[in-house]
Amino acid sequence: MQLEIGKIYNGKVKGITQYGAFVDIEGGGTGMVHISEIANTYVNNIRDHLTEDQDVKVKVIGINEAGKVSLSIKKAVDSPAPQQQKGGRPRGEGGQNRPQKPNIWEPKKQTPPSEMTFEDMMSRFKQSSEERMCDLKRSTDRKNGTRRK
């Protein structure tokens, strides 16, 4: 059976490595699902999402000259029809339709200056000033080609 890029097939997980999973596709052929193509969320351990002999739907996203087949599970999941935005274009047109990732890094909650004592404000100023001076010195040292050991 000839596999077509962009088509969705049923398959069975045959092997799991730390960088991806190998899937036997119904009708013949084997391909690999890279760790980045398993789920729409960050995947640290593939075994948290897949097990061997598990039935999965996969989408063929590429076939190289050597005949190696690249597969995606996250792209094979039934996606809802594109929704219309205010501009009249379907969402995802002109770029990839990626889900919004939650903001993992959040800045420190700073107390408003009205609740801080003078000493707290001085200490914060001193700390940020020292950080800026270190960054400035580091960047000038790189530009001048000097480094301290």
Side-chain angles (χ1 to χ4, degrees):
M1 175 180 174
Q2 187 72 16
L3 298 176
E4 294 179 39
I5 295 175
K7 204 165 179 192
I8 296 175
Y9 297 93
N10 290 320
K12 187 174 276 214
V13 177
K14 285 298 169 188
I16 296 176
T17 65
Q18 76 183 78
Y19 55 85
F22 290 94
V23 176
D24 279 345
I25 300 169
E26 281 184 5
T30 300
M32 191 196 81
V33 180
H34 188 264
I35 190 169
S36 64
E37 293 294 330
I38 289 180
N40 283 324
T41 59
Y42 175 74
V43 177
N44 188 34
N45 186 353
I46 296 172
R47 294 185 188 276
D48 293 341
H49 297 268
L50 297 174
T51 58
E52 291 188 14
D53 293 325
Q54 178 181 347
D55 291 324
V56 291
K57 280 192 175 194
V58 291
K59 182 174 186 176
V60 178
I61 56 174
I63 303 173
N64 70 6
E65 298 83 28
K68 292 184 179 180
V69 180
S70 297
L71 304 170
S72 173
I73 293 174
K74 71 180 182 182
K75 291 179 182 170
V77 175
D78 295 331
S79 58
Q83 298 175 353
Q84 292 291 331
Q85 289 180 326
K86 288 182 182 175
R89 292 180 13 194
R91 193 173 283 171
E93 203 172 292
Q96 293 181 345
N97 189 9
R98 293 186 181 157
Q100 292 293 328
K101 293 182 181 175
N103 187 6
I104 295 172
W105 178 85
E106 291 183 14
K108 295 179 189 174
K109 300 278 185 196
Q110 296 184 355
T111 54
S114 60
E115 297 175 10
M116 294 176 64
T117 65
F118 178 75
E119 288 80 18
D120 292 337
M121 288 190 280
M122 280 302 285
S123 134
R124 179 183 287 175
F125 171 76
K126 197 171 154 188
Q127 180 183 5
S128 69
S129 177
E130 288 174 4
E131 288 172 357
R132 289 180 184 160
M133 290 300 290
C134 284
D135 289 343
L136 185 61
K137 184 167 178 18
R138 204 174 298 131
S139 70
T140 20
D141 285 349
R142 283 191 201 124
K143 288 177 184 174
N144 293 337
T146 59
R147 286 199 282 170
R148 282 193 176 158
K149 292 186 179 183

